[in-house]
Amino acid sequence: MTIICVAAAGAVALTGIVAGTRTNMASAFGQDKSGVLPGDRPHKPWPPRHTPSPTAGVPTTPTPTPTATATSATPTATPTTTKPTSTPTSTPTQPPTTPLPPGAFPAGPSLAPACKGTTIGTDQNAADVIDKAPTGTTFCFSAGLHRINRTLQPKANSTLASDQGAVLTGSIPLTSWTADNGDWVTRGVLPPAYGMSGQCEDNVANICYLREQLFLNDKHLTRVKTRDKVAPGTFYADYAGNAVYLGDNPAGKSVEMSRTPTAIQSGGTNVAVVGLTVEHFASTPQSGAVVLGNGWRVYANDIRWNHAVGAMLVNADGAVLDKNLIRNNGQLGIGQYSTTNGRIVANEVSGNNTDGFWIADWESGGIKTTWSTNGAVTGNLIKDNRGVGLWSDAYDDGRVFSENQIIDNAADGIRYEIGRNGVIADNVITGNGLGTGRGSGRSLWDGGGINVNTSTNVVVRNNTLRDNVNGISIQSRTRGNGPWGLNVLRDVTVTGNKVTMRGGTTSTGMVQNSGAAIPTGEVVLKSNTYVLDSLTADRFQKFGQWFSAAEWKAAGLDTDSQFTTG
């Protein structure tokens, strides 16, 4: 490997971190409804939009997994209705009991070590440089703005890194503007019109899927559906006329439009991406600006202001996404599809769904995983996302969600839907589910701090929940058949949690469709602590009936739990 540049002294060097297994990487970086009821909405599985490289060369670094027996959750798995007999476990450390103050969460490019390798300057075409280099090259992006007009596809064991504040952008500058009836217009910059995908919060205008974002002096502008709605802070894109209308005078200002769909995508196994800012990519709904492959480590980056998903793990067995800032992306912060032993660790995931995707029930918000086996989402700060904070949807098997701080997300804090063998443990979950919009609500059908929906063998333990729309919601819905047979709610244990419920209609309990009755004994609540506004308040529900604390215990639920107004 050619060594060309040496970056800031005194930091750990990046050289050689991918010239072998991810054990080397870790060492180099250090580990610092028949009967459909309200809210029963159609499920849409995550499509495989990317096809990363084969599984050869997956690193052998051990990955913590639950001890429950877990089979591969793929569409071709042999259907079975056998209930798992084991209980998944995890061994997390106790998380903080109060959220960290702003800026206190350690993540992002400031953590990147020094880079030594082949320099890529801002005047070079990064894709061309990477394409021509051999396997195992370390690329050091220089300080400044790198315009990426073609997706970067690094070869096996390569590293893309910066310790100098490199920014990779998928946008182009718009510089030719003309005043036009109170607005400003530029022409000839849009792609041909394309079809709609995804579901928008505003299902009348239905414009959230349009990929080209505009930024005025780095401020994200709001798209409007028609030209007559253009006002300061907004823009309108006329695809038929190939014209963009702006509501602010652009004179003397920077105007950028996202254009390139993807920044970095799997071209080989065991790749590292470190210390980069990745912004303004025109990703299509359900697609990522950064797409991890097998054995990848994406560490200490700032992935922001991309149209759809910030980072995606797609067929990314053994990949690790850790200590990144993933924020203000148009649809979702992080997505995972069809991945075994993927780990999403210690990231700050905040402010996502800036482009108006459906808040309550389409893939928007913080983190969503589907069709994946084992692995964990642990130690993340997931806050202020316009959607679900952390969502497992459709055939996740053996997944662990632990030690996360999940704060002020518009929909559920955690939603575990149509999965099995799951552990939800030691999370701090506050202020979630209070957003309003299409499909939002206050009932147990609409969710809570934790929502377990039509899943099997799930343990919810040692979590702290307070000030959420509801405490813990157990939902049994008619969801049809899947690779494991009929989708049902069975064998759910809720234990050791501290749940604060005060005021309004907030509650903990169970709901069921008429076609999806929960057999007696399949939901166990025990050894929990409930902090209530009043011991006589109705804070518990079972199938539409309300209970006070004493009535709840008399019904045989939470018989050894504590109820307090402390």
Side-chain angles (χ1 to χ4, degrees):
M1 177 188 310
T2 303
I3 304 298
I4 297 180
C5 71
V6 179
V12 178
L14 280 168
T15 299
I17 64 172
V18 292
T21 68
R22 194 165 64 245
T23 302
N24 293 334
M25 292 188 206
S27 175
F29 283 112
Q31 254 344 90
D32 349 291
K33 286 176 193 177
S34 167
V36 173
L37 294 183
D40 216 355
R41 306 171 189 108
H43 163 69
K44 179 171 181 171
W46 211 303
R49 294 186 179 274
H50 302 281
T51 306
S53 299
T55 58
V58 175
T60 58
T61 303
T63 301
T65 60
T67 59
T69 301
T71 58
S72 177
T74 62
T76 57
T78 302
T80 177
T81 57
T82 303
K83 184 173 72 176
T85 58
S86 56
T87 300
T89 62
S90 65
T91 56
T93 58
Q94 187 66 26
T97 57
T98 57
L100 291 172
F105 196 82
S110 64
L111 303 179
C115 186
K116 295 166 60 177
T118 299
T119 299
I120 298 180
T122 57
D123 58 342
Q124 294 177 281
N125 186 303
D128 289 346
V129 175
I130 291 168
D131 287 350
K132 293 173 182 176
T135 297
T137 300
T138 293
F139 302 96
C140 300
F141 286 81
S142 64
L145 191 68
H146 297 254
R147 294 199 181 274
I148 307 300
N149 59 18
R150 181 164 59 87
T151 300
L152 309 181
Q153 294 186 283
K155 298 181 179 72
N157 301 318
S158 297
T159 296
L160 308 184
S162 178
D163 62 345
Q164 300 182 2
V167 177
L168 276 56
T169 182
S171 64
I172 59 171
L174 303 183
T175 58
S176 179
W177 294 94
T178 303
D180 190 325
N181 292 326
D183 305 323
W184 286 263
V185 62
T186 188
R187 302 182 186 277
V189 297
L190 293 170
Y194 44 86
M196 189 176 81
S197 58
Q199 297 187 41
C200 305
E201 179 66 32
D202 180 352
N203 61 345
V204 176
N206 273 332
I207 55 175
C208 66
Y209 73 97
L210 294 169
R211 304 188 292 267
E212 290 72 34
Q213 299 170 299
L214 250 66
F215 300 87
L216 180 68
N217 284 349
D218 288 328
K219 180 182 178 181
H220 175 266
L221 299 180
T222 299
R223 181 189 295 274
V224 295
K225 185 177 182 179
T226 55
R227 183 182 171 184
D228 62 295
K229 301 295 184 184
V230 173
T234 72
F235 75 100
Y236 167 60
D238 176 2
Y239 289 84
N242 201 348
V244 175
Y245 295 88
L246 187 64
D248 298 270
N249 187 342
K253 300 181 178 70
S254 165
V255 185
E256 297 267 334
M257 183 184 77
S258 56
R259 171 175 282 181
T260 305
T262 306
I264 304 168
Q265 182 175 328
S266 178
T269 59
N270 304 326
V271 167
V273 179
V274 186
L276 301 172
T277 294
V278 179
E279 66 179 20
H280 300 180
F281 284 83
S283 43
T284 59
Q286 297 182 303
S287 297
V290 177
V291 184
L292 286 70
N294 284 318
W296 280 42
R297 189 184 187 197
V298 174
Y299 169 82
N301 303 280
D302 188 354
I303 304 173
R304 66 191 188 189
W305 295 115
N306 303 290
H307 174 60
V309 186
M312 282 282 296
L313 291 75
V314 181
N315 299 320
D317 295 351
V320 179
L321 180 71
D322 64 326
K323 295 198 173 181
N324 301 280
L325 295 170
I326 302 180
R327 50 185 177 154
N328 303 121
N329 295 286
Q331 177 199 337
L332 185 69
I334 300 171
Q336 177 173 304
Y337 173 81
S338 188
T339 291
T340 297
N341 290 331
R343 298 182 62 222
I344 300 170
V345 181
N347 303 281
E348 180 178 319
V349 184
S350 61
N352 295 289
N353 189 14
T354 59
D355 283 358
F357 288 87
W358 189 8
I359 294 170
D361 212 53
W362 201 74
E363 288 138 13
S364 66
I367 301 174
K368 186 170 186 181
T369 81
T370 69
W371 291 93
S372 293
T373 303
N374 296 337
V377 179
T378 186
N380 301 280
L381 175 60
I382 306 168
K383 67 174 185 176
D384 297 325
N385 298 286
R386 297 183 70 239
V388 177
L390 172 53
W391 187 357
S392 169
D393 183 19
Y395 310 111
D396 272 355
D397 193 347
R399 303 279 287 145
V400 175
F401 294 168
S402 66
E403 300 181 55
N404 300 288
Q405 296 182 63
I406 303 176
I407 303 167
D408 293 341
N409 299 284
D412 305 348
I414 295 177
R415 185 183 298 179
Y416 199 93
E417 180 176 3
I418 316 182
R420 67 182 184 184
N421 303 329
V423 173
I424 302 170
D426 298 282
N427 302 283
V428 176
I429 304 167
T430 62
N432 299 281
L434 301 172
T436 58
R438 185 164 66 97
S440 299
R442 294 293 184 266
S443 79
L444 284 179
W445 285 108
D446 299 300
I450 296 174
N451 170 4
V452 179
N453 178 346
T454 320
S455 295
T456 300
N457 195 24
V458 178
V459 175
V460 180
R461 68 163 178 262
N462 299 341
N463 301 283
T464 299
L465 302 94
R466 60 179 177 270
D467 302 326
N468 301 290
V469 62
N470 287 297
I472 299 173
S473 172
I474 310 296
Q475 303 179 2
S476 180
R477 300 174 181 256
T478 49
R479 302 304 297 267
N481 291 278
W484 308 324
L486 182 66
N487 296 313
V488 294
L489 186 130
R490 297 288 187 273
D491 196 10
V492 176
T493 300
V494 179
T495 183
N497 303 283
K498 182 177 181 180
V499 185
T500 299
M501 299 183 292
R502 297 178 181 275
T505 59
T506 182
S507 64
T508 284
M510 292 171 268
V511 290
Q512 64 182 21
N513 283 162
S514 60
I518 305 172
T520 300
E522 291 292 348
V523 177
V524 175
L525 298 99
K526 62 181 182 179
S527 304
N528 298 293
T529 298
Y530 297 98
V531 182
L532 310 174
D533 48 330
S534 167
L535 294 181
T536 60
D538 289 338
R539 291 282 166 247
F540 301 91
Q541 283 190 63
K542 184 178 179 182
F543 312 148
Q545 181 179 353
W546 288 84
F547 299 81
S548 68
E551 292 166 342
W552 189 245
K553 292 183 71 172
L557 298 155
D558 276 305
T559 56
D560 66 343
S561 294
Q562 297 183 359
F563 302 80
T564 179
T565 59

